[in-house]
């Protein structure tokens, strides 16, 4: 019922920048927390950054000072600006959103398909 469409991944050199974007389906009634996770080869998926419906943000230590998360005015799109990228940032990045499908509905977590970010040294 809810799909998250991601864009912005790619191949960059160390020190470069990428901006990832993720849009939720318009049918979503409301979206609470949105964010990004990543998974590198041979490693567990880890939190990158989150942003609440009220605009409060949190970022993992690995991205502090380099990554910035934001939402659009309708709070159905989340973006991740990644600056000063490092080879260790190489991973598949997954968008997620905690959403309500109806006014009195429960919260459900949805995930994007993932977008590859590769940082060369």
């Amino acid at each position: 019922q809810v799909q998250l469409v991601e864009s912005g991944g790619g191949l960059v050199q160390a020190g470069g920048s990428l901006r990832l974007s993720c849009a939720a389906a318009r049918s979503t009634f409301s979206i609470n927390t949105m964010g990004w996770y990543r998974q590198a080869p041979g490693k567990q998926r880890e939190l990158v950054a989150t942003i609440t419906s009220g605009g409060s943000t949190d970022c993992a230590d690995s991205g502090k000072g380099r990554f910035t998360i934001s939402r659009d005015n309708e709070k159905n799109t989340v973006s991740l600006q990644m600056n000063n990228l490092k080879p260790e940032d190489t991973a598949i990045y997954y968008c997620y959103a905690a959403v309500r499908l109806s006014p009195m509905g429960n919260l459900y977590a949805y995930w994007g398909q993932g977008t590859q970010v590769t940082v060369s040294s």
Side-chain angles (χ1 to χ4, degrees):
Q1 289 184 293
V2 176
Q3 288 189 306
L4 303 177
V5 181
E6 298 163 295
S7 63
L11 173 64
V12 298
Q13 291 184 330
S17 299
L18 285 173
R19 184 177 180 86
L20 307 182
S21 295
C22 173
R26 294 189 298 272
S27 60
T28 300
F29 176 74
S30 65
I31 302 176
N32 288 63
T33 300
M34 301 186 75
W36 293 89
Y37 286 72
R38 69 185 183 187
Q39 187 167 19
K43 295 186 177 181
Q44 293 183 310
R45 187 177 61 181
E46 65 178 8
L47 173 71
V48 178
T50 60
I51 183 167
T52 69
S53 59
S56 297
T57 62
D58 194 18
C59 185
D61 290 341
S62 60
K64 286 186 181 298
R66 302 185 299 123
F67 295 176
T68 303
I69 191 169
S70 61
R71 302 173 67 141
D72 73 357
N73 193 44
E74 296 181 345
K75 299 183 178 181
N76 64 351
T77 299
V78 62
S79 297
L80 182 70
Q81 178 66 44
M82 303 187 292
N83 298 327
N84 300 316
L85 284 163
K86 304 175 181 179
E88 51 263 43
D89 295 318
T90 296
I92 300 175
Y93 284 69
Y94 297 92
C95 175
Y96 87 93
V99 307
R100 296 186 194 276
L101 304 181
S102 62
M104 302 301 294
N106 294 326
L107 284 169
Y108 295 92
Y110 289 87
W111 294 88
Q113 78 285 354
T115 184
Q116 178 70 48
V117 171
T118 302
V119 184
S120 62
S121 60

